[in-house]
Amino acid sequence: MKTAERQFTTISAVPIEPVYGPEDLPGFDPARELGGPGEFPYTRGIHRDMYRGKLWTMRQFSGFATPEETNRRYHYLLAQGQTGLSVAFDLPTLMGYDADHALAEGEVGKCGAAISSLEDMEILFRGIPLGEVTVSMTINSPAAVLWAMYLAVAEQQGVEWSRLSGTLQNDILKEYIAQKEYIFPPRPSMRLVTDTIEFGARHTPRFNPISISGYHIREAGSTAVQELAFTLRDGIEYVDWALERGLTVDEFAPRLSFFFNAHSDFFEEIAKYRAARKIWASVMRDRYGTTSERSMKLRFHAQTAGCSLTWQQPYNNVVRTGLQALAAVLGGAQSLHTNSLDEAYALPGEHAVTIALRTQQVLAFESGVTGTPDPLGGSYFLEKLTLETEAAAKDYIARIDGMGGMIAAIEDGFPQTEIAAASYRYQREVEAGERVVVGVNRFQSEDPPIELLQIDESSAGHQREKLAALRRRRDNDRVRKALDALKHAAEGTENTMPYLVEAVRAYATLGEICDALRAVFGTYQETAHI
Amino acid sequence: MPRPIRVLVAKPGLDGHDRGAKVIARALRDAGMEVIYTGLRQTPEMIVNAALQEDVQVIGLSILSGAHNAIVPRVLDLLREKEMTDVQVVVGGIIPDEDAAALKRQGVAAIFQPGASLEEIVNFIRGAVPA
């Protein structure tokens, strides 16, 4: 007799049966549920030959202090064999404030590179050929402004916009849901995102104007299913807005990209990536009627879970990250960031980031997992988990449809409340010892301190001086005119991108541009729920 | 029956990562305390004013961005200015050891670094507030 048998669950509290077999997959039709690699519904991956044809891009998210220092780190990473760049901006930049703003006090260069003007962007990419290196930029509320700066730097380098390849994160919905770095209210924010998607469709055919992100939703404490469902529903919202703008689905859908977390529960994560591709392919085909394979294929970047890193025994983080990265690769990621062992403390030091990059190189060149696509496909457990993940995510998507879409759901606090409840449940389980975190609630020991990256307090002063000099040197009349024209465009329905490009060319600062938009759009405050 | 302990949980600075602040707020509430959560992007002035108006005994600051050395001393200064030094200030987040020691010298009652248990935080606050 079975009494009080221990429950096994995934980290997201999904029950796991003692054993899985063919009886768990009644009527399972591999042709319908999986297809081959590179075939609808792309459960097994978007390419027939996957990593045999091309490895994932090893793209370490990086940025700290001044653009000068970050530029040096980029040159170092490229020299170490990294294959793409990913820019981290500091909090004032993310919030649309210049380095000399009162609210930037104590924050300049702390969480990323401080970029207040085109001059800073020029320094950030000095000596980096933008026609050859793909660049991802983690920027959301003011994404259109930073992208305009990027386009202006490319122009200075003599690189045609049509040759630029990279990704703008630009996913404002997950900011309201999870990361909370928003400036404007949802609707004007969505208009700016749609402006970039439209502009990209016309001028930068190789650039992803958006990276629809579950990463931050997961970091905020969601389950794997919530991460998947809210992200895909966000994607649907962006598609609806772009169609409303008058674009046809195949003009922009092939350039929508996604970004997922690579968390610690190995099989749950792989199931999540497989379900993501499968659901998105059906959404694009059935909800939007596309017949273009490029529009149906979900391409994604993955980053290992920052929230899983521990302050205690930090070297264990190398192992956690390695396993998470393996899940992302077995799940068919197109690009990957591996966290550094010191990131529970600070932005990564050079030694730590090198180990993180080497982790990917070991996976790519030593582990053998790149030899064949979706090597775990057909596992009873993984297939069952993929089906369950798909069903649970579709259920959430239907609920949000029923609420009138993601903006209405956000305004009701629905995804926020779901995530907070999941995060609290998890913390309670850790507290009760039901979830083991090695080195934290089990197997504790003292660890010698590790060497950390220090952000020089002089960065803020350096940035402020550069800004003061820029404001004296530039043609302030041209700046004023450009900002007035931008405001006028923002008040109407024109695409704001050309006006943003002109404003940054005139060296209007990020803060000045965002102030102009704040004056037109207003700002957003959420109602805080606990 | 003694009056429940009143705590203001605040998220200063530009950072929006509120997972920790929300988990702590819920845990303190479940432990029987009265919790006021300020929401995001509170300046030290807003936080101290809210603490005064809400008549709290404890202010909990959640800071993950590295801006603690600019924010926390300002909160302590304002509490002194307003003669509210009986209000205990606790800080949670990514605070390196040497900064934690310095902030404690300036008057912070406790610093909780990543991995601190909810129980430890609840117990500290119960012990720090006179019944």
Side-chain angles (χ1 to χ4, degrees):
Chain A
M1 196 183 130
K2 289 195 235 174
T3 51
E5 195 175 278
R6 201 184 133 205
Q7 270 287 325
F8 282 75
T9 58
T10 68
I11 203 167
S12 302
V14 175
I16 301 175
E17 301 302 324
V19 70
Y20 288 82
E23 64 282 4
D24 291 295
L25 301 169
F28 186 84
D29 175 4
R32 191 185 68 232
E33 305 293 349
L34 306 178
E39 287 174 12
F40 188 88
Y42 311 104
T43 312
R44 306 199 64 196
I46 58 167
H47 300 300
R48 197 157 63 91
D49 56 356
M50 272 316 277
Y51 303 130
R52 293 172 78 105
K54 182 177 179 289
L55 282 172
W56 64 89
T57 303
M58 299 179 191
R59 194 189 295 284
Q60 297 295 96
F61 180 46
S62 170
F64 60 99
T66 60
E68 288 85 349
E69 281 174 83
T70 300
N71 176 263
R72 273 194 290 278
R73 174 68 68 88
Y74 290 168
H75 282 285
Y76 172 79
L77 287 168
L78 291 170
Q80 296 306 308
Q82 173 164 300
T83 48
L85 292 176
S86 174
V87 186
F89 297 100
D90 71 355
L91 276 165
T93 309
L94 295 174
M95 292 301 296
Y97 295 116
D98 290 336
D100 56 2
H101 192 282
L103 289 175
E105 174 80 32
E107 314 251 29
V108 176
K110 286 280 165 62
C111 294
I115 304 292
S116 301
S117 74
L118 176 59
E119 181 185 33
D120 289 333
M121 203 69 144
E122 291 161 4
I123 296 166
L124 189 69
F125 293 112
R126 197 178 275 162
I128 295 169
L130 298 186
E132 289 159 41
V133 177
T134 69
V135 177
S136 169
M137 281 175 282
T138 297
I139 187 81
N140 292 282
S141 209
V145 188
L146 275 294
W147 195 37
M149 290 182 190
Y150 186 80
L151 295 172
V153 173
E155 205 169 58
Q156 291 176 5
Q157 288 190 2
V159 179
E160 300 272 336
W161 288 351
S162 60
R163 278 180 55 212
L164 292 174
S165 183
T167 304
L168 200 59
Q169 191 166 84
N170 201 21
D171 171 11
I172 195 65
L173 292 173
K174 65 90 173 58
E175 294 297 334
Y176 301 112
I177 294 171
Q179 191 172 234
K180 313 291 174 75
E181 269 127 32
Y182 40 68
I183 303 173
F184 318 112
R187 285 170 184 81
S189 292
M190 286 296 286
R191 180 262 180 100
L192 286 177
V193 173
T194 312
D195 285 353
T196 60
I197 292 176
E198 182 183 41
F199 189 84
R202 310 259 185 265
H203 302 284
T204 58
R206 295 175 56 200
F207 205 92
N208 305 318
I210 190 166
S211 171
I212 307 160
S213 305
Y215 185 82
H216 321 79
I217 291 173
R218 193 67 181 281
E219 290 289 301
S222 84
T223 64
V225 164
Q226 288 167 351
E227 177 195 353
L228 176 60
F230 298 158
T231 306
L232 296 184
R233 189 58 189 75
D234 286 347
I236 289 169
E237 203 71 34
Y238 294 118
V239 173
D240 285 343
W241 278 65
L243 293 175
E244 183 73 20
R245 178 65 64 92
L247 294 167
T248 63
V249 70
D250 296 330
E251 279 182 291
F252 64 91
R255 281 289 148 206
L256 300 175
S257 64
F258 288 82
F259 173 21
F260 291 110
N261 204 297
H263 211 287
S264 297
D265 196 303
F266 191 71
F267 288 101
E268 182 170 66
E269 292 303 281
I270 299 169
K272 179 184 75 184
Y273 307 127
R274 299 171 93 239
R277 281 189 293 268
K278 192 177 172 192
I279 298 172
W280 190 248
S282 298
V283 164
M284 294 315 292
R285 189 188 66 176
D286 303 335
R287 192 165 175 144
Y288 297 110
T290 184
T291 53
S292 154
E293 286 208 51
R294 291 180 63 229
S295 295
M296 288 186 242
K297 288 180 177 181
L298 177 147
R299 297 168 299 128
F300 75 98
H301 171 71
Q303 177 172 340
T304 58
C307 64
S308 75
L309 301 182
T310 63
W311 171 281
Q312 292 76 12
Q313 303 177 20
Y315 287 100
N316 298 346
N317 293 330
V318 176
V319 182
R320 290 190 179 97
T321 298
L323 285 167
Q324 294 164 357
L326 178 59
V329 168
L330 291 173
Q334 276 59 58
S335 69
L336 180 61
H337 166 105
T338 34
N339 290 328
S340 299
L341 70 100
D342 53 357
E343 288 190 72
Y345 287 84
L347 300 191
E350 200 161 279
H351 177 60
V353 78
T354 307
I355 295 173
L357 177 60
R358 296 288 181 253
T359 303
Q360 295 200 37
Q361 290 162 338
V362 169
L363 280 176
F365 298 105
E366 296 182 10
S367 74
V369 297
T370 56
T372 188
D374 188 36
L376 296 177
S379 144
Y380 299 120
F381 175 43
L382 183 65
E383 295 304 349
K384 179 69 175 174
L385 205 51
T386 304
L387 290 174
E388 285 178 351
T389 305
E390 178 192 357
K394 279 180 170 168
D395 184 56
Y396 260 127
I397 291 171
R399 281 168 75 186
I400 296 168
D401 285 344
M403 293 174 190
M406 194 45 116
I407 293 176
I410 286 168
E411 286 170 345
D412 281 353
F414 173 71
Q416 300 95 310
T417 315
E418 291 287 295
I419 295 166
S423 133
Y424 191 51
R425 192 209 66 232
Y426 172 78
Q427 203 58 46
R428 280 287 179 204
E429 290 169 356
V430 171
E431 195 80 2
E434 293 160 17
R435 298 261 171 226
V436 175
V437 185
V438 172
V440 177
N441 66 357
R442 287 274 293 278
F443 317 112
Q444 296 98 329
S445 62
E446 286 300 312
D447 240 28
I450 54 172
E451 196 186 317
L452 297 176
L453 177 78
Q454 300 290 339
I455 306 296
D456 193 340
E457 293 290 341
S458 69
S459 298
H462 177 72
Q463 289 303 102
R464 280 195 297 266
E465 281 164 27
K466 265 195 302 185
L467 262 176
L470 176 77
R471 290 189 214 275
R472 281 194 302 272
R473 187 174 70 234
R474 67 186 183 180
D475 177 351
N476 279 301
D477 201 41
R478 184 179 167 199
V479 171
R480 230 178 345 265
K481 282 192 186 122
L483 291 173
D484 285 344
L486 170 66
K487 267 192 191 170
H488 188 71
E491 282 160 359
T493 55
E494 254 181 295
N495 193 312
T496 51
M497 274 308 296
Y499 297 92
L500 289 168
V501 172
E502 174 50 26
V504 303
R505 277 182 193 137
Y507 292 92
T509 66
L510 171 68
E512 291 162 347
I513 293 171
C514 288
D515 279 345
L517 295 175
R518 283 182 188 100
V520 177
F521 296 150
T523 56
Y524 183 74
Q525 286 279 336
E526 74 164 2
T527 318
H529 303 280
I530 56 170
Chain B
M1 217 179 98
R3 187 181 93 128
I5 297 171
R6 286 175 66 81
V7 185
L8 185 81
V9 173
K11 185 90 186 111
L14 294 177
D15 179 35
H17 290 86
D18 57 3
R19 177 178 180 171
K22 284 181 160 184
V23 165
I24 297 294
R26 280 196 188 204
L28 298 181
R29 198 176 59 188
D30 285 359
M33 300 180 199
E34 289 181 357
V35 179
I36 299 103
Y37 173 50
T38 61
L40 300 171
R41 309 212 165 84
Q42 303 291 303
T43 62
E45 288 75 11
M46 291 157 85
I47 291 166
V48 172
N49 282 336
L52 181 64
Q53 276 164 23
E54 297 285 350
D55 191 24
V56 299
Q57 294 133 300
V58 180
I59 298 174
L61 300 171
S62 169
I63 310 175
L64 290 79
S65 65
H68 47 271
N69 288 335
I71 291 165
V72 179
R74 180 81 190 122
V75 171
L76 296 171
D77 283 347
L78 287 166
L79 287 174
R80 275 190 285 271
E81 268 174 38
K82 294 188 189 285
E83 296 178 349
M84 291 165 67
T85 46
D86 53 331
V87 175
Q88 306 274 335
V89 176
V90 299
V91 179
I94 302 177
I95 316 290
D97 290 340
E98 56 274 26
D99 293 354
L103 292 174
K104 278 189 178 172
R105 281 196 298 276
Q106 293 173 55
V108 171
I111 309 259
F112 298 100
Q113 293 167 322
S117 76
L118 299 175
E119 189 186 5
E120 183 186 342
I121 297 166
V122 167
N123 287 341
F124 178 85
I125 292 177
R126 282 198 181 126
V129 177

